[in-house]
Amino acid sequence: MIITFIGHGYVGLVTACVFADLGNTVYVIGRNQDKLKRLSSGDPIIFEPGLQELLKKNLAKKTIHFTTDYSVSIPKSDIVFIAVGTPPNEDGSANTTTVYSVAELIGKHLKKGYTIVSCKSTVPIGTNRKIKKIIDTVKNKDAYIDVVSCPEFLREGTALQDTFTPDRIVIGSDSKKAINILLDLHKPLEGKRVIVGLESAEIIKYASNSLLAAKISFANLISFYCEETGADVLEVLEGVGLDRRIGHRFLQPGIGYGGSCFPKDVKALITMGDALSLDTTFLKAIEKINRDAQTRFISKIKKYVPKGKIALWGLSFKPNTDDVRDSPAFNIINALLYDGYTIQAYDPEAYKNAKRIYKKNKNITFLSSPYDTLNEANGLVICTEWNEFKQIDLQQVKKILKKPIILDGRNIYEPKKMKIRGFTYLSVGRNSV
Ligand code: UGA
């Protein structure tokens, strides 16, 4: 098939590369010439394991092309995917301005005959019907379309694996013809097919992300109970998660969820609920616990680490990505800077993005080795569970740190072993000093 993707962020670029690799001809439309030039030369711009290789492979096979010009690809496409951002408005609702403006551009460039327009962006309930209306208003009278909501469930850091072997593929549409074409496109991929209506597909996406965020907040809430009572949260959640109805996944306590999806999607679901006069207390509690997890961790740092230099490892919102959007590490950094600490930070991939954000602040420096951050530091704070930190030479860490204090926001070390090594070690939901 000939497919166009509008947008080359995580969802757009990864899915475009995967469909190109499966033998389709794929066009990716963007707005920024510089970025498109980099993409065309094999630089995916974002750090995502395996993506550069897949992009280069498909550029060489000429199955993927990048352009700013809608007239190049829209008229020859069987399917056009919308994969642009829906960032939060000030009130927390999802901003659909770009979705609607690209819908209009698609409409204006449609060929005579049939095209499917499929929305992969996370959009509020009713957006797909509005997309159809916008396109129907501007399109040529010989062109006709069906709209399909095809939400995306890939995670950053494991995006290729998630796209090649998804748990499920959700296809929401009123049109049998469109559903069958989408089923055909997804044929080589694993995963259960879920065929639903447009609104159901839109809600599935928000419900999934909010329930995952709820699991994390629940784990964090239980970690507070453990800290107050002397229980060990990892023992507790191991016992809880073994119930197959519950499971262990997304039950890791820490300094809370971040990233470009969970915080924004929980907020957007709250605003949708408010608009429908529904009780959104449950969703608001998810957010409150997420904030509390960070506040409690910050209090621990301030209590145990004397003012002065402090080392901080992990800037991305999770490992295996350089994405720092809504990273919990930044809330910790901001609180420590406000309190007068001087931070020496390290992250294997995200330091460049973080450096851009803090470029005017002299009280935070970004170093190229985790060990260098420890010089003269009164303690070490860990915000992201990169494998590199799990395999670090702890003897060396202890030797360099001015005071052997570690505040671990992601529970990556064993408290008993850390005590034996002579560290003052505080993690989340496990009492040890
Ligand atoms: C999330 C969803 O997992 C994807 O299914 C979805 O497609 C994506 O949002 C999206 O809407 O585009 P992502 O934000 O890439 O994916 O990352 P996650 O692995 O879900 O992690 C989100 C945050 O939760 C991270 O800050 C992570 O550290 C935190 N987390 C995750 C925990 O604190 N505990 C856990 O047990 C799991």
Side-chain angles (χ1 to χ4, degrees), residues 126-144:
T127 304
N128 277 278
R129 289 204 189 276
K130 200 161 165 197
I131 290 173
K132 173 141 176 58
K133 260 194 194 148
I134 290 173
I135 296 177
D136 281 342
T137 318
V138 296
K139 73 176 177 54
N140 187 303
K141 65 174 178 350
D142 300 329
Y144 65 105

Side-chain angles (χ1 to χ4, degrees), residues 189-217:
L189 299 176
E190 288 178 20
K192 207 162 167 68
R193 274 56 174 161
V194 184
I195 311 299
V196 294
L198 278 175
E199 288 75 11
S200 298
E202 289 168 342
I203 299 188
I204 285 172
K205 173 67 190 191
Y206 280 106
S208 300
N209 273 4
S210 297
L211 189 55
L212 289 168
K215 267 190 110 173
I216 298 167
S217 276

Side-chain angles (χ1 to χ4, degrees), residues 11 122 152-156 205 209 212 216 220 248-262 265 317-319 328 385 410:
V11 171
T122 302
E152 185 50 59
F153 302 100
L154 63 81
R155 289 162 298 172
E156 292 181 23
K205 173 67 190 191
N209 273 4
L212 289 168
I216 298 167
N220 281 324
H248 289 114
R249 298 176 75 189
F250 279 72
L251 217 46
Q252 289 304 316
I255 49 171
Y257 61 78
S260 65
C261 304
F262 286 176
D265 292 347
F317 79 99
K318 62 182 276 190
E385 67 278 30
R410 297 293 181 183

Side-chain angles (χ1 to χ4, degrees), residues 138-343:
V138 296
K139 73 176 177 54
N140 187 303
K141 65 174 178 350
D142 300 329
Y144 65 105
I145 61 151
D146 276 320
V147 167
V148 180
S149 168
C150 203
E152 185 50 59
F153 302 100
L154 63 81
R155 289 162 298 172
E156 292 181 23
T158 52
L160 293 189
Q161 184 193 323
D162 290 346
T163 311
F164 277 114
T165 55
D167 289 343
R168 78 297 209 188
I169 293 162
V170 175
I171 300 174
S173 183
D174 297 337
S175 155
K176 271 214 174 104
K177 180 177 177 182
I179 289 169
N180 284 334
I181 294 172
L182 262 291
L183 282 172
D184 217 30
L185 174 71
H186 287 90
K187 215 175 216 160
L189 299 176
E190 288 178 20
K192 207 162 167 68
R193 274 56 174 161
V194 184
I195 311 299
V196 294
L198 278 175
E199 288 75 11
S200 298
E202 289 168 342
I203 299 188
I204 285 172
K205 173 67 190 191
Y206 280 106
S208 300
N209 273 4
S210 297
L211 189 55
L212 289 168
K215 267 190 110 173
I216 298 167
S217 276
F218 189 79
N220 281 324
L221 178 65
I222 295 303
S223 81
F224 308 160
Y225 279 79
C226 292
E227 286 182 357
E228 300 303 324
T229 58
D232 180 318
V233 74
L234 295 189
E235 290 175 2
V236 171
L237 293 173
E238 170 67 10
V240 172
L242 279 169
D243 184 327
R244 271 178 290 184
R245 293 170 301 174
I246 300 172
H248 289 114
R249 298 176 75 189
F250 279 72
L251 217 46
Q252 289 304 316
I255 49 171
Y257 61 78
S260 65
C261 304
F262 286 176
K264 146 179 108 65
D265 292 347
V266 174
K267 268 196 182 67
L269 196 59
I270 291 172
T271 61
M272 279 181 250
D274 287 343
L276 296 164
S277 304
L278 297 172
D279 185 345
T280 52
T281 312
F282 176 73
L283 297 171
K284 284 175 184 150
I286 297 173
E287 288 191 312
K288 164 91 171 54
I289 296 165
N290 203 51
R291 285 194 298 273
D292 288 349
Q294 290 162 23
T295 315
R296 286 175 73 97
F297 189 65
I298 290 163
S299 304
K300 273 189 231 167
I301 303 174
K302 289 182 185 170
K303 184 169 166 196
Y304 286 93
V305 184
K307 291 266 174 65
K309 287 186 180 167
I310 189 166
L312 188 140
W313 291 355
L315 299 159
S316 54
F317 79 99
K318 62 182 276 190
N320 297 322
T321 178
D322 62 354
D323 196 343
V324 295
R325 286 176 289 175
D326 252 315
S327 174
F330 285 9
N331 295 336
I332 315 284
I333 289 173
N334 293 341
L336 296 181
L337 288 174
Y338 184 78
D339 223 47
Y341 286 90
T342 304
I343 301 173

